[in-house]
Amino acid sequence: MSEIIIHAESAKKASRILACLDSDKKNSALLLIATRLLENKESIFEANKKDLQKAEEDNLPDPVKKRLKFDETKLDDVVGGIKSLIGLEDPVNKVLLHTELADGLELYRVTCSIGVLGIIFESRPDALVQIASLALKSGNGVILKGGSEASNTNTILASVIYDAGIEAGLPEGWLYLIKARSEVTEMLSLNQYIDLIIPRGSNEFVQYIMKNTTIAVLGHADGVCSTYIDDEADEDLAIKVAVDAKTQYVSVCNATEKFLVNRNLGFDFIDRLINTLKENHVEIFGDDEICARYGCEKAPEWHHEYLDYKVTVKLVDNMEEAVDHINTYGSGHTESIITKNLEKAEKFMASVDSGNVMHNCSTRFSDGFRYGFGAEVGVSTSKLHARGPVGLEGLVSYKYKVYGHGDIVKDFAEKKRQFTHKKFDI
Amino acid sequence: MSEIIIHAESAKKASRILACLDSDKKNSALLLIATRLLENKESIFEANKKDLQKAEEDNLPDPVKKRLKFDETKLDDVVGGIKSLIGLEDPVNKVLLHTELADGLELYRVTCSIGVLGIIFESRPDALVQIASLALKSGNGVILKGGSEASNTNTILASVIYDAGIEAGLPEGWLYLIKARSEVTEMLSLNQYIDLIIPRGSNEFVQYIMKNTTIAVLGHADGVCSTYIDDEADEDLAIKVAVDAKTQYVSVCNATEKFLVNRNLGFDFIDRLINTLKENHVEIFGDDEICARYGCEKAPEWHHEYLDYKVTVKLVDNMEEAVDHINTYGSGHTESIITKNLEKAEKFMASVDSGNVMHNCSTRFSDGFRYGFGAEVGVSTSKLHARGPVGLEGLVSYKYKVYGHGDIVKDFAEKKRQFTHKKFDI
């Protein structure tokens, strides 16, 4: 048996125990993890220096080096994150439904842990801490794979976290850090041990994962988010929101990559929009009409994520055309409509098949922290299980519990007893 | 383009419209479908006679012929089913969460349709009517494939239902019946058009589907359900429940296929259990000890679904062994514990990783109708999205809607505004 199979089996066994831990036990483990991280900070920073030095030698781009850095500030952030997680309600064992099936026969739908999560994340080592603590709080075992650039930092973080967990009484095998990339491929076929895979990374990488496993995958490949500016828009509001949606932070999945502009707004407005975007250092890629008028390049394709100071601008005849365009070429992530017409807004928000739909505000709001979920494991563009920003409740399933007193189906089949199906308020 | 792709694309387009239909429109379409089914009953029965005749010629087994039959009683049943579905609450557009993110910026989590369902079902033509109406009520487009034995009946049922839907104003392409088996294989790769596949049929068939698609699959391959009889069980109650769990209806997925018996109960009880089962025509397959004492055959394997008057009996030392055995060899469907010890019952129900866990009652209760869900599309052993018996609410997803007044993220990033995250009761 290869190493990953042994560890996956061990994580599965551990997950049975994690699933039954009470909140106090999980919270005291989280607290000890925070303590041990602080105590071991010098060794962690030391390991991080090695990764940074290697990144320097390999001439990695500055943004990668920035994400890679794990210093006092990052440590304070993750420790703060763990402490706020301790304060959140336990997502496990929440009663979702309670029905009296018949006299003395009671049904409950109760949340429970999923089992083992396989999480593959990008170069930020702080993601490891965040993911491990979310998995623990939700009672799941976890198999992690981080970016190879961060391998020294990840190794020590995983080791400190795992050991602190064991010290706090968590079961052996509750967390495992995959070292070799080859193990990822093997992990994708371990349906019997891994219940859910959450890939975080580039478009191509996430798509590769999604296409190469029959294990459920939660996440998003890309965010081709659109803002539709309706002919009944408040023009000042539209300009303000457009600038924020495109430029507030360009390299993130909820930044607007495309403006669909109702042509009835006229070129007075369209000129103003284009010029304001240009003043904000945004390069315009247009449809034929926009290109002809503003001398810009054609958009490379309708489904295009720039993650840069670049945007596609396309004119549409009406809201319906915008909706069709989004549903055909979008990624189902986040779309916004700017209009004073509330009825149109409702129609747009119902018709657009995306996890997040906005009215008169920036697409940049679609985010677990801004939504008040406290912690976020990622954003899902899947429509099954969890959609949109996914917090702790996306990391649990549920089971039905039935409590009886020797009840048999025969009595109901023979009409000796009747179902009452009395629902109780939760 | 092959036929299935054209129809799947068309179902996707239709699904955008279905998703936005109000409850009245969906309910009046359901009503017209019921009416048209009754009006066309002679042609439907005629088509069914052809299928039955073919089944006779092909020497199909009696249970298949019984399931195949679509007569006045079956028609009344499905029409009754449609009418009760009309009475159920619309699963779409239900607010699940409402948070004020900041002054004038409101977040809602609202249920919405999934898109297009691909449903492959066994030989019962009444399943076609049930599935089509569930899909419609939940605002989803649907692609159906029924058993070839029922092709004449399915063809006319699908045609009457589709036409009635169109007459009631549903969009073109809202339902499509696959004719050729080859189209099923093609359907499994249509990720861009089909959002969820629900296979109903034999173990091998469902496993084949699950292994051959990256589209989400909802369902269960088999039901290897266990009843654990604890040493602290009420013995009379245990015998009564055991007989019901095994014999009330043997060919269904929630029938008990295995008794795990705590050996501390002693052979006085075990003799009584075995003898009572035998009196109820149940053949025993044992572990070594049971085989030696009762002269029965060894169980063919620990994960075995008989769907017959046959059961595996295995002795265990304690509840923990029973739980380990179930989690290793079970199918995650339904398990029951018989014990007077409530603490042990809770431990068992928390530790067993199955969709339905029961205390002191028959595994046969795990069923959408008995749970009071009104309608059931199947039972899911998946832990993602929907688990256990799946009713209308398993056929919907949700989206986040954010209503603003020109709100931009920059104001929050620059601390000019603060998030309030005020949650409202639903």
mmCIF file of all heavy atoms in Angstrom, chain A residues 16 114 244 346 349 352-353 355 359-360 370 383 387 398-400 402 404 406 409 421, chain B residues 16 114 244 349 352-353 355 359-360 370 383 387 398-400 402-404 406 409 421:
data_model
loop_
_atom_site.group_PDB
_atom_site.id
_atom_site.type_symbol
_atom_site.label_atom_id
_atom_site.label_comp_id
_atom_site.label_asym_id
_atom_site.label_seq_id
_atom_site.Cartn_x
_atom_site.Cartn_y
_atom_site.Cartn_z
ATOM 1 N N ARG A 16 -14.297 9.098 12.199
ATOM 2 C CA ARG A 16 -15.418 8.518 12.954
ATOM 3 C C ARG A 16 -15.418 9.049 14.387
ATOM 4 O O ARG A 16 -16.461 9.232 14.999
ATOM 5 C CB ARG A 16 -15.301 6.993 13.031
ATOM 6 C CG ARG A 16 -15.019 6.279 11.732
ATOM 7 C CD ARG A 16 -16.240 6.183 10.886
ATOM 8 N NE ARG A 16 -16.021 5.300 9.749
ATOM 9 C CZ ARG A 16 -16.692 5.378 8.619
ATOM 10 N NH1 ARG A 16 -17.609 6.293 8.450
ATOM 11 N NH2 ARG A 16 -16.451 4.543 7.636
ATOM 12 N N ILE A 114 -18.925 15.379 7.656
ATOM 13 C CA ILE A 114 -18.929 14.702 6.357
ATOM 14 C C ILE A 114 -18.017 13.484 6.370
ATOM 15 O O ILE A 114 -18.364 12.430 5.867
ATOM 16 C CB ILE A 114 -18.511 15.687 5.245
ATOM 17 C CG1 ILE A 114 -19.634 16.715 5.014
ATOM 18 C CG2 ILE A 114 -18.198 14.952 3.949
ATOM 19 C CD1 ILE A 114 -19.296 17.794 4.014
ATOM 20 N N ASP A 244 -15.499 50.339 -8.519
ATOM 21 C CA ASP A 244 -15.191 49.463 -7.385
ATOM 22 C C ASP A 244 -15.137 48.003 -7.820
ATOM 23 O O ASP A 244 -14.207 47.268 -7.460
ATOM 24 C CB ASP A 244 -16.255 49.640 -6.296
ATOM 25 C CG ASP A 244 -15.879 48.966 -4.985
ATOM 26 O OD1 ASP A 244 -15.072 49.550 -4.240
ATOM 27 O OD2 ASP A 244 -16.371 47.854 -4.720
ATOM 28 N N GLU A 346 -35.410 42.128 -9.834
ATOM 29 C CA GLU A 346 -35.870 40.817 -9.361
ATOM 30 C C GLU A 346 -35.809 39.792 -10.489
ATOM 31 O O GLU A 346 -35.423 38.649 -10.281
ATOM 32 C CB GLU A 346 -37.305 40.909 -8.813
ATOM 33 C CG GLU A 346 -37.422 41.577 -7.451
ATOM 34 C CD GLU A 346 -36.691 40.823 -6.332
ATOM 35 O OE1 GLU A 346 -36.294 39.664 -6.532
ATOM 36 O OE2 GLU A 346 -36.479 41.440 -5.268
ATOM 37 N N MET A 349 -32.198 38.831 -11.112
ATOM 38 C CA MET A 349 -31.652 38.023 -10.019
ATOM 39 C C MET A 349 -32.236 36.608 -9.993
ATOM 40 O O MET A 349 -31.582 35.661 -9.573
ATOM 41 C CB MET A 349 -31.864 38.727 -8.679
ATOM 42 C CG MET A 349 -31.042 40.010 -8.578
ATOM 43 S SD MET A 349 -31.565 41.105 -7.248
ATOM 44 C CE MET A 349 -30.466 40.590 -5.934
ATOM 45 N N VAL A 352 -30.661 34.867 -13.631
ATOM 46 C CA VAL A 352 -29.231 34.603 -13.749
ATOM 47 C C VAL A 352 -28.870 33.405 -12.875
ATOM 48 O O VAL A 352 -29.188 33.367 -11.695
ATOM 49 C CB VAL A 352 -28.428 35.858 -13.342
ATOM 50 C CG1 VAL A 352 -26.997 35.498 -13.005
ATOM 51 C CG2 VAL A 352 -28.456 36.862 -14.477
ATOM 52 N N ASP A 353 -28.230 32.418 -13.497
ATOM 53 C CA ASP A 353 -27.941 31.154 -12.818
ATOM 54 C C ASP A 353 -26.567 31.197 -12.152
ATOM 55 O O ASP A 353 -25.661 30.459 -12.521
ATOM 56 C CB ASP A 353 -28.015 30.032 -13.863
ATOM 57 C CG ASP A 353 -27.980 28.658 -13.225
ATOM 58 O OD1 ASP A 353 -28.190 28.573 -12.007
ATOM 59 O OD2 ASP A 353 -27.743 27.683 -13.965
ATOM 60 N N GLY A 355 -24.290 31.779 -8.302
ATOM 61 C CA GLY A 355 -24.388 31.595 -6.860
ATOM 62 C C GLY A 355 -24.673 32.889 -6.116
ATOM 63 O O GLY A 355 -25.290 32.875 -5.051
ATOM 64 N N HIS A 359 -27.845 43.539 -6.600
ATOM 65 C CA HIS A 359 -28.577 44.685 -7.139
ATOM 66 C C HIS A 359 -27.945 45.959 -6.599
ATOM 67 O O HIS A 359 -27.842 46.145 -5.385
ATOM 68 C CB HIS A 359 -30.065 44.600 -6.739
ATOM 69 C CG HIS A 359 -30.860 45.801 -7.168
ATOM 70 N ND1 HIS A 359 -31.841 46.372 -6.391
ATOM 71 C CD2 HIS A 359 -30.802 46.534 -8.314
ATOM 72 C CE1 HIS A 359 -32.355 47.420 -7.040
ATOM 73 N NE2 HIS A 359 -31.750 47.537 -8.199
ATOM 74 N N ASN A 360 -27.546 46.829 -7.541
ATOM 75 C CA ASN A 360 -26.999 48.145 -7.182
ATOM 76 C C ASN A 360 -25.850 48.087 -6.188
ATOM 77 O O ASN A 360 -25.767 48.935 -5.290
ATOM 78 C CB ASN A 360 -28.116 49.056 -6.636
ATOM 79 C CG ASN A 360 -28.949 49.640 -7.766
ATOM 80 O OD1 ASN A 360 -28.585 49.513 -8.949
ATOM 81 N ND2 ASN A 360 -30.060 50.280 -7.428
ATOM 82 N N ARG A 370 -17.468 39.080 4.255
ATOM 83 C CA ARG A 370 -18.415 40.187 4.067
ATOM 84 C C ARG A 370 -19.850 39.718 4.303
ATOM 85 O O ARG A 370 -20.693 40.485 4.737
ATOM 86 C CB ARG A 370 -18.266 40.772 2.658
ATOM 87 C CG ARG A 370 -16.905 41.399 2.506
ATOM 88 C CD ARG A 370 -16.703 42.257 1.286
ATOM 89 N NE ARG A 370 -15.279 42.576 1.293
ATOM 90 C CZ ARG A 370 -14.387 42.136 0.411
ATOM 91 N NH1 ARG A 370 -14.789 41.431 -0.644
ATOM 92 N NH2 ARG A 370 -13.126 42.427 0.532
ATOM 93 N N LYS A 383 -23.897 23.728 -7.920
ATOM 94 C CA LYS A 383 -25.236 23.983 -7.409
ATOM 95 C C LYS A 383 -25.671 22.910 -6.427
ATOM 96 O O LYS A 383 -26.733 22.985 -5.845
ATOM 97 C CB LYS A 383 -26.219 24.078 -8.572
ATOM 98 C CG LYS A 383 -26.099 25.428 -9.256
ATOM 99 C CD LYS A 383 -27.150 25.620 -10.284
ATOM 100 C CE LYS A 383 -26.700 24.984 -11.582
ATOM 101 N NZ LYS A 383 -27.707 25.201 -12.648
ATOM 102 N N ARG A 387 -23.269 26.303 -2.208
ATOM 103 C CA ARG A 387 -23.095 27.242 -3.316
ATOM 104 C C ARG A 387 -22.705 28.604 -2.742
ATOM 105 O O ARG A 387 -23.129 28.956 -1.650
ATOM 106 C CB ARG A 387 -24.438 27.373 -4.042
ATOM 107 C CG ARG A 387 -24.341 28.021 -5.400
ATOM 108 C CD ARG A 387 -25.710 28.108 -6.050
ATOM 109 N NE ARG A 387 -25.601 28.316 -7.484
ATOM 110 C CZ ARG A 387 -26.604 28.684 -8.262
ATOM 111 N NH1 ARG A 387 -27.803 28.863 -7.763
ATOM 112 N NH2 ARG A 387 -26.422 28.859 -9.555
ATOM 113 N N TYR A 398 -25.972 15.786 6.951
ATOM 114 C CA TYR A 398 -26.959 15.524 8.009
ATOM 115 C C TYR A 398 -27.322 14.057 7.967
ATOM 116 O O TYR A 398 -27.023 13.349 7.007
ATOM 117 C CB TYR A 398 -28.208 16.398 7.837
ATOM 118 C CG TYR A 398 -28.919 16.256 6.509
ATOM 119 C CD1 TYR A 398 -29.758 15.169 6.251
ATOM 120 C CD2 TYR A 398 -28.768 17.197 5.500
ATOM 121 C CE1 TYR A 398 -30.409 15.033 5.036
ATOM 122 C CE2 TYR A 398 -29.408 17.072 4.279
ATOM 123 C CZ TYR A 398 -30.238 15.992 4.060
ATOM 124 O OH TYR A 398 -30.866 15.847 2.856
ATOM 125 N N LYS A 399 -27.914 13.570 9.055
ATOM 126 C CA LYS A 399 -28.470 12.228 9.043
ATOM 127 C C LYS A 399 -29.847 12.276 9.695
ATOM 128 O O LYS A 399 -30.169 13.213 10.427
ATOM 129 C CB LYS A 399 -27.551 11.235 9.755
ATOM 130 C CG LYS A 399 -27.219 11.571 11.193
ATOM 131 C CD LYS A 399 -26.556 10.399 11.935
ATOM 132 C CE LYS A 399 -25.138 10.100 11.504
ATOM 133 N NZ LYS A 399 -24.417 9.206 12.439
ATOM 134 N N TYR A 400 -30.659 11.252 9.377
ATOM 135 C CA TYR A 400 -31.965 11.153 10.014
ATOM 136 C C TYR A 400 -31.859 10.208 11.191
ATOM 137 O O TYR A 400 -31.307 9.115 11.064
ATOM 138 C CB TYR A 400 -33.005 10.635 9.012
ATOM 139 C CG TYR A 400 -33.356 11.651 7.957
ATOM 140 C CD1 TYR A 400 -32.780 11.608 6.695
ATOM 141 C CD2 TYR A 400 -34.243 12.689 8.236
ATOM 142 C CE1 TYR A 400 -33.078 12.559 5.730
ATOM 143 C CE2 TYR A 400 -34.558 13.645 7.286
ATOM 144 C CZ TYR A 400 -33.966 13.576 6.027
ATOM 145 O OH TYR A 400 -34.257 14.521 5.083
ATOM 146 N N VAL A 402 -34.222 8.199 14.032
ATOM 147 C CA VAL A 402 -35.591 7.830 14.377
ATOM 148 C C VAL A 402 -35.577 7.124 15.726
ATOM 149 O O VAL A 402 -34.845 6.155 15.914
ATOM 150 C CB VAL A 402 -36.213 6.914 13.301
ATOM 151 C CG1 VAL A 402 -37.670 6.596 13.658
ATOM 152 C CG2 VAL A 402 -36.143 7.552 11.921
ATOM 153 N N GLY A 404 -37.782 5.059 18.458
ATOM 154 C CA GLY A 404 -39.037 4.326 18.608
ATOM 155 C C GLY A 404 -39.118 3.556 19.903
ATOM 156 O O GLY A 404 -38.255 3.667 20.781
ATOM 157 N N GLY A 406 -40.111 -0.019 19.779
ATOM 158 C CA GLY A 406 -40.476 -1.318 19.227
ATOM 159 C C GLY A 406 -41.424 -1.197 18.039
ATOM 160 O O GLY A 406 -42.123 -2.147 17.691
ATOM 161 N N VAL A 409 -43.236 -1.648 10.877
ATOM 162 C CA VAL A 409 -43.937 -1.131 9.703
ATOM 163 C C VAL A 409 -45.232 -1.915 9.452
ATOM 164 O O VAL A 409 -46.223 -1.358 8.965
ATOM 165 C CB VAL A 409 -42.986 -1.162 8.481
ATOM 166 C CG1 VAL A 409 -43.747 -1.021 7.174
ATOM 167 C CG2 VAL A 409 -41.933 -0.057 8.604
ATOM 168 N N HIS A 421 -47.375 12.494 11.467
ATOM 169 C CA HIS A 421 -46.552 13.492 10.759
ATOM 170 C C HIS A 421 -46.735 14.899 11.306
ATOM 171 O O HIS A 421 -46.976 15.839 10.554
ATOM 172 C CB HIS A 421 -46.845 13.445 9.248
ATOM 173 C CG HIS A 421 -46.296 12.199 8.608
ATOM 174 N ND1 HIS A 421 -46.857 11.626 7.507
ATOM 175 C CD2 HIS A 421 -45.245 11.410 8.931
ATOM 176 C CE1 HIS A 421 -46.174 10.534 7.176
ATOM 177 N NE2 HIS A 421 -45.205 10.382 8.020
ATOM 178 N N ARG B 16 -34.064 27.532 -17.564
ATOM 179 C CA ARG B 16 -33.929 28.931 -17.136
ATOM 180 C C ARG B 16 -35.313 29.547 -16.937
ATOM 181 O O ARG B 16 -35.510 30.414 -16.083
ATOM 182 C CB ARG B 16 -33.195 29.770 -18.195
ATOM 183 C CG ARG B 16 -31.927 29.176 -18.735
ATOM 184 C CD ARG B 16 -30.790 29.324 -17.784
ATOM 185 N NE ARG B 16 -29.525 28.985 -18.426
ATOM 186 C CZ ARG B 16 -28.461 28.590 -17.756
ATOM 187 N NH1 ARG B 16 -28.501 28.482 -16.443
ATOM 188 N NH2 ARG B 16 -27.357 28.294 -18.383
ATOM 189 N N ILE B 114 -32.363 23.643 -9.587
ATOM 190 C CA ILE B 114 -31.000 23.203 -9.882
ATOM 191 C C ILE B 114 -30.668 23.393 -11.361
ATOM 192 O O ILE B 114 -29.584 23.829 -11.707
ATOM 193 C CB ILE B 114 -30.826 21.724 -9.471
ATOM 194 C CG1 ILE B 114 -30.824 21.607 -7.937
ATOM 195 C CG2 ILE B 114 -29.547 21.139 -10.048
ATOM 196 C CD1 ILE B 114 -30.733 20.201 -7.406
ATOM 197 N N ASP B 244 -40.031 -7.796 11.623
ATOM 198 C CA ASP B 244 -40.541 -6.751 10.725
ATOM 199 C C ASP B 244 -39.441 -6.242 9.794
ATOM 200 O O ASP B 244 -39.646 -6.109 8.582
ATOM 201 C CB ASP B 244 -41.094 -5.587 11.552
ATOM 202 C CG ASP B 244 -41.865 -4.578 10.716
ATOM 203 O OD1 ASP B 244 -43.037 -4.854 10.385
ATOM 204 O OD2 ASP B 244 -41.291 -3.525 10.360
ATOM 205 N N MET B 349 -25.959 5.909 17.338
ATOM 206 C CA MET B 349 -26.548 6.755 16.294
ATOM 207 C C MET B 349 -25.589 7.858 15.843
ATOM 208 O O MET B 349 -25.640 8.312 14.707
ATOM 209 C CB MET B 349 -27.878 7.327 16.775
ATOM 210 C CG MET B 349 -28.931 6.226 16.939
ATOM 211 S SD MET B 349 -30.367 6.743 17.917
ATOM 212 C CE MET B 349 -31.472 7.315 16.621
ATOM 213 N N VAL B 352 -22.443 5.648 13.867
ATOM 214 C CA VAL B 352 -22.714 4.955 12.613
ATOM 215 C C VAL B 352 -22.854 5.976 11.501
ATOM 216 O O VAL B 352 -23.631 6.927 11.608
ATOM 217 C CB VAL B 352 -23.982 4.083 12.755
ATOM 218 C CG1 VAL B 352 -24.547 3.733 11.399
ATOM 219 C CG2 VAL B 352 -23.655 2.812 13.527
ATOM 220 N N ASP B 353 -22.087 5.796 10.443
ATOM 221 C CA ASP B 353 -22.020 6.764 9.350
ATOM 222 C C ASP B 353 -23.038 6.418 8.265
ATOM 223 O O ASP B 353 -22.688 6.113 7.137
ATOM 224 C CB ASP B 353 -20.594 6.752 8.788
ATOM 225 C CG ASP B 353 -20.354 7.898 7.822
ATOM 226 O OD1 ASP B 353 -21.173 8.838 7.795
ATOM 227 O OD2 ASP B 353 -19.351 7.835 7.099
ATOM 228 N N GLY B 355 -27.113 7.323 6.521
ATOM 229 C CA GLY B 355 -28.088 8.385 6.331
ATOM 230 C C GLY B 355 -29.244 8.302 7.313
ATOM 231 O O GLY B 355 -29.844 9.322 7.663
ATOM 232 N N HIS B 359 -33.482 3.850 16.561
ATOM 233 C CA HIS B 359 -33.420 3.266 17.904
ATOM 234 C C HIS B 359 -34.733 2.551 18.195
ATOM 235 O O HIS B 359 -35.798 3.161 18.108
ATOM 236 C CB HIS B 359 -33.159 4.357 18.946
ATOM 237 C CG HIS B 359 -33.184 3.855 20.360
ATOM 238 N ND1 HIS B 359 -33.751 4.540 21.407
ATOM 239 C CD2 HIS B 359 -32.710 2.689 20.893
ATOM 240 C CE1 HIS B 359 -33.630 3.848 22.528
ATOM 241 N NE2 HIS B 359 -33.013 2.722 22.248
ATOM 242 N N ASN B 360 -34.629 1.273 18.535
ATOM 243 C CA ASN B 360 -35.794 0.476 18.912
ATOM 244 C C ASN B 360 -36.938 0.524 17.910
ATOM 245 O O ASN B 360 -38.110 0.574 18.297
ATOM 246 C CB ASN B 360 -36.309 0.897 20.305
ATOM 247 C CG ASN B 360 -35.458 0.311 21.418
ATOM 248 O OD1 ASN B 360 -34.622 -0.567 21.175
ATOM 249 N ND2 ASN B 360 -35.666 0.778 22.644
ATOM 250 N N ARG B 370 -43.054 7.617 4.754
ATOM 251 C CA ARG B 370 -43.173 7.399 6.201
ATOM 252 C C ARG B 370 -42.593 8.568 6.986
ATOM 253 O O ARG B 370 -43.040 8.889 8.067
ATOM 254 C CB ARG B 370 -42.467 6.096 6.595
ATOM 255 C CG ARG B 370 -43.188 4.934 5.985
ATOM 256 C CD ARG B 370 -42.748 3.580 6.483
ATOM 257 N NE ARG B 370 -43.426 2.628 5.610
ATOM 258 C CZ ARG B 370 -42.823 1.824 4.742
ATOM 259 N NH1 ARG B 370 -41.520 1.784 4.682
ATOM 260 N NH2 ARG B 370 -43.525 1.056 3.960
ATOM 261 N N LYS B 383 -23.222 11.795 1.063
ATOM 262 C CA LYS B 383 -23.264 12.697 2.197
ATOM 263 C C LYS B 383 -23.288 14.149 1.753
ATOM 264 O O LYS B 383 -23.418 15.044 2.554
ATOM 265 C CB LYS B 383 -22.077 12.436 3.119
ATOM 266 C CG LYS B 383 -22.319 11.191 3.962
ATOM 267 C CD LYS B 383 -21.248 10.998 4.983
ATOM 268 C CE LYS B 383 -20.070 10.300 4.354
ATOM 269 N NZ LYS B 383 -19.019 10.034 5.341
ATOM 270 N N ARG B 387 -29.198 13.671 1.680
ATOM 271 C CA ARG B 387 -28.909 12.366 2.243
ATOM 272 C C ARG B 387 -30.215 11.762 2.759
ATOM 273 O O ARG B 387 -31.089 12.489 3.206
ATOM 274 C CB ARG B 387 -27.932 12.551 3.414
ATOM 275 C CG ARG B 387 -27.284 11.273 3.895
ATOM 276 C CD ARG B 387 -26.368 11.557 5.075
ATOM 277 N NE ARG B 387 -25.416 10.471 5.259
ATOM 278 C CZ ARG B 387 -24.650 10.320 6.324
ATOM 279 N NH1 ARG B 387 -24.703 11.194 7.294
ATOM 280 N NH2 ARG B 387 -23.820 9.297 6.423
ATOM 281 N N TYR B 398 -29.576 26.771 -3.835
ATOM 282 C CA TYR B 398 -29.889 28.109 -3.338
ATOM 283 C C TYR B 398 -28.946 29.089 -4.006
ATOM 284 O O TYR B 398 -27.933 28.704 -4.597
ATOM 285 C CB TYR B 398 -29.800 28.190 -1.821
ATOM 286 C CG TYR B 398 -28.454 27.813 -1.239
ATOM 287 C CD1 TYR B 398 -27.389 28.706 -1.256
ATOM 288 C CD2 TYR B 398 -28.238 26.569 -0.674
ATOM 289 C CE1 TYR B 398 -26.157 28.359 -0.728
ATOM 290 C CE2 TYR B 398 -27.005 26.214 -0.131
ATOM 291 C CZ TYR B 398 -25.971 27.116 -0.170
ATOM 292 O OH TYR B 398 -24.753 26.767 0.348
ATOM 293 N N LYS B 399 -29.298 30.359 -3.953
ATOM 294 C CA LYS B 399 -28.371 31.406 -4.385
ATOM 295 C C LYS B 399 -28.409 32.531 -3.359
ATOM 296 O O LYS B 399 -29.355 32.645 -2.575
ATOM 297 C CB LYS B 399 -28.720 31.905 -5.793
ATOM 298 C CG LYS B 399 -30.106 32.480 -5.969
ATOM 299 C CD LYS B 399 -30.260 33.246 -7.288
ATOM 300 C CE LYS B 399 -30.268 32.388 -8.528
ATOM 301 N NZ LYS B 399 -30.784 33.107 -9.726
ATOM 302 N N TYR B 400 -27.345 33.331 -3.351
ATOM 303 C CA TYR B 400 -27.313 34.493 -2.478
ATOM 304 C C TYR B 400 -27.743 35.713 -3.269
ATOM 305 O O TYR B 400 -27.263 35.938 -4.376
ATOM 306 C CB TYR B 400 -25.905 34.705 -1.919
ATOM 307 C CG TYR B 400 -25.522 33.659 -0.906
ATOM 308 C CD1 TYR B 400 -24.742 32.568 -1.255
ATOM 309 C CD2 TYR B 400 -25.978 33.755 0.404
ATOM 310 C CE1 TYR B 400 -24.409 31.597 -0.318
ATOM 311 C CE2 TYR B 400 -25.650 32.784 1.348
ATOM 312 C CZ TYR B 400 -24.868 31.712 0.979
ATOM 313 O OH TYR B 400 -24.554 30.751 1.897
ATOM 314 N N VAL B 402 -28.007 39.894 -3.015
ATOM 315 C CA VAL B 402 -27.585 41.059 -2.231
ATOM 316 C C VAL B 402 -28.229 42.311 -2.816
ATOM 317 O O VAL B 402 -28.116 42.565 -4.018
ATOM 318 C CB VAL B 402 -26.045 41.219 -2.227
ATOM 319 C CG1 VAL B 402 -25.638 42.407 -1.354
ATOM 320 C CG2 VAL B 402 -25.365 39.948 -1.732
ATOM 321 N N TYR B 403 -28.943 43.058 -1.981
ATOM 322 C CA TYR B 403 -29.611 44.285 -2.408
ATOM 323 C C TYR B 403 -28.904 45.489 -1.812
ATOM 324 O O TYR B 403 -28.766 45.575 -0.584
ATOM 325 C CB TYR B 403 -31.069 44.286 -1.942
ATOM 326 C CG TYR B 403 -31.903 43.181 -2.569
ATOM 327 C CD1 TYR B 403 -31.955 41.911 -2.007
ATOM 328 C CD2 TYR B 403 -32.635 43.426 -3.727
ATOM 329 C CE1 TYR B 403 -32.718 40.903 -2.580
ATOM 330 C CE2 TYR B 403 -33.401 42.435 -4.306
ATOM 331 C CZ TYR B 403 -33.445 41.172 -3.734
ATOM 332 O OH TYR B 403 -34.192 40.193 -4.301
ATOM 333 N N GLY B 404 -28.426 46.383 -2.698
ATOM 334 C CA GLY B 404 -27.711 47.550 -2.201
ATOM 335 C C GLY B 404 -28.247 48.846 -2.755
ATOM 336 O O GLY B 404 -29.292 48.892 -3.421
ATOM 337 N N GLY B 406 -25.861 51.247 -4.268
ATOM 338 C CA GLY B 406 -24.615 51.814 -4.763
ATOM 339 C C GLY B 406 -23.440 51.507 -3.846
ATOM 340 O O GLY B 406 -22.417 52.195 -3.889
ATOM 341 N N VAL B 409 -17.090 48.188 -2.086
ATOM 342 C CA VAL B 409 -16.218 47.527 -1.112
ATOM 343 C C VAL B 409 -15.150 48.485 -0.590
ATOM 344 O O VAL B 409 -14.734 48.410 0.568
ATOM 345 C CB VAL B 409 -15.599 46.259 -1.748
ATOM 346 C CG1 VAL B 409 -14.418 45.752 -0.950
ATOM 347 C CG2 VAL B 409 -16.667 45.168 -1.863
ATOM 348 N N HIS B 421 -23.714 42.990 10.033
ATOM 349 C CA HIS B 421 -23.988 41.542 10.108
ATOM 350 C C HIS B 421 -25.100 41.210 11.096
ATOM 351 O O HIS B 421 -24.949 40.348 11.952
ATOM 352 C CB HIS B 421 -22.709 40.765 10.442
ATOM 353 C CG HIS B 421 -21.734 40.761 9.293
ATOM 354 N ND1 HIS B 421 -20.388 40.673 9.457
ATOM 355 C CD2 HIS B 421 -21.918 40.822 7.956
ATOM 356 C CE1 HIS B 421 -19.776 40.705 8.285
ATOM 357 N NE2 HIS B 421 -20.693 40.786 7.354
#
